[in-house]
């Protein structure tokens, strides 16, 4: 039986992973520079960066532009429950920026409104300590925006929910350059992109939310409840 020989990048990643997991490299500690690490492991800088990319994808290290690579503390997992928002964790902080804009392109189609219809965007960036954790862009027709409250929750909330149906689309993809910069993640780390569209009893879209959850810390959980007819069929 033939056993695959680990590649150099995997061997280096295994060694660094062990050092981080055993505490030899503590959370927040800066790794040696990439040229120094390449010399230590006797590999090219390109091979060394490939090894670091594996650890970035696992959430074990964080590359800060102009400063170097740092060991990360264990990542707080995000559990997204279908049909709702991620539960609020008091350990997380949220920064919300509100912008008024006009519906164009994909926003026009998403909210099913005419071109240039007034919208309000809530850009929510969730942080754990100093590290970005996840982000969401929430779009609401301008006339409904005053009913939205910005409180201690990581998401804008309505005093009284008016949506009757929520349709969600979940996609695994690579982050856009803007998302990678905002979340300080590798451009090669897949993200969980969730598009949530809420409508009222008249079929009007009252909210569209675009959530981006880094794949190294996100789980999506969906629970299905059989209808009465399905239960009869099963019985």
């Amino acid at each position: 039986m033939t056993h695959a020989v680990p590649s150099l990048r995997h061997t280096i990643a295994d060694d660094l992973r062990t050092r981080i997991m055993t505490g030899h490299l503590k959370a927040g500690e800066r790794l040696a520079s990439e040229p120094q690490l390449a010399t230590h492991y006797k590999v090219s800088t390109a091979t060394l960066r490939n090894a670091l990319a594996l650890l970035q994808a696992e959430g074990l290290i964080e590359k800060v532009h102009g400063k170097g690579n740092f060991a990360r503390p264990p990542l707080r997992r995000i559990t997204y429950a279908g049909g709702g928002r991620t539960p609020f964790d008091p350990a997380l902080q949220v920064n919300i920026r509100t912008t008024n804009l006009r519906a164009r392109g994909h926003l026009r189609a998403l909210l099913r409104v005419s071109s240039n219809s007034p919208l309000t965007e809530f850009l929510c960036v969730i942080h754990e300590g100093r590290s970005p954790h996840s982000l969401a862009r929430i779009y609401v027709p301008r006339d409904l925006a005053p009913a939205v409250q910005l409180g201690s929750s990581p998401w804008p909330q309505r005093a009284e929910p008016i949506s009757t149906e929520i349709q969600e689309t979940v996609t695994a993809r690579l982050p856009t350059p803007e998302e990678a910069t905002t979340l300080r993640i590798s451009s090669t780390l897949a993200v969980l992109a969730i598009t949530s569209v809420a409508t009222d009893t008249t079929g009007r879209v009252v909210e569209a939310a675009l959530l981006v959850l880094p794949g190294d810390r996100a789980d999506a959980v969906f629970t299905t409840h059989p209808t009465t007819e399905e239960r009869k069929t099963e019985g």
Side-chain angles (χ1 to χ4, degrees):
M1 182 176 178
T2 303
H3 295 279
V5 178
S7 66
L8 285 173
R9 66 171 182 162
H10 283 94
T11 300
I12 296 167
D14 286 345
D15 183 57
L16 290 172
R17 185 185 299 108
T18 299
R19 293 174 61 191
I20 294 171
M21 300 298 286
T22 57
H24 285 83
L25 277 171
K26 295 180 172 53
E29 185 176 344
R30 183 179 181 276
L31 279 65
S33 69
E34 292 179 2
Q36 288 173 329
L37 287 172
T39 299
H40 173 75
Y41 288 109
K42 299 178 182 177
V43 296
S44 67
T45 303
T47 298
L48 186 279
R49 285 176 177 167
N50 286 335
L52 295 178
L54 293 175
L55 300 177
Q56 284 180 311
E58 295 172 22
L60 292 177
I61 66 171
E62 176 181 18
K63 182 166 185 158
V64 180
H65 183 68
K67 294 185 178 180
N69 296 287
F70 296 80
R72 296 186 71 163
L75 295 172
R76 190 178 297 271
R77 301 294 297 181
I78 306 169
T79 300
Y80 181 83
R85 296 278 164 73
T86 52
F88 179 53
D89 188 327
L92 303 177
Q93 302 86 42
V94 59
N95 293 326
I96 301 178
R97 187 181 73 200
T98 305
T99 305
N100 289 328
L101 69 165
R102 298 282 176 172
R104 293 186 178 86
H106 76 286
L107 290 180
R108 175 187 172 189
L110 197 62
L111 283 99
R112 303 176 204 160
V113 293
S114 58
S115 183
N116 293 319
S117 292
L119 305 175
T120 296
E121 176 195 64
F122 299 94
L123 172 60
C124 308
V125 182
I126 317 302
H127 288 78
E128 181 178 6
R130 295 184 178 182
S131 298
H133 195 257
S134 55
L135 67 86
R137 293 181 184 275
I138 301 171
Y139 299 93
V140 178
R142 186 85 53 81
D143 61 309
L144 298 178
V148 175
Q149 300 177 340
L150 305 180
S152 58
S153 166
W155 309 107
Q157 302 287 337
R158 294 185 181 282
E160 296 182 6
I162 60 174
S163 62
T164 59
E165 180 179 292
I166 298 176
Q167 183 179 65
E168 295 177 301
T169 303
V170 182
T171 306
R173 60 169 173 79
L174 294 178
T176 65
E178 181 184 6
E179 290 167 351
T181 299
T182 301
L183 292 170
R184 285 173 24 199
I185 58 175
S186 167
S187 59
T188 60
L189 173 64
V191 297
L192 206 59
I194 301 173
T195 301
S196 176
V197 178
T199 55
D200 65 11
T201 53
T202 68
R204 182 190 184 190
V205 175
V206 295
E207 177 185 290
L210 309 177
L211 285 66
V212 179
L213 311 177
D216 60 1
R217 71 202 73 164
D219 300 304
V221 179
F222 299 91
T223 303
T224 302
H225 299 283
T227 63
T228 303
E229 291 300 319
E230 287 173 332
R231 291 195 186 96
K232 288 180 180 179
T233 301
E234 291 174 358

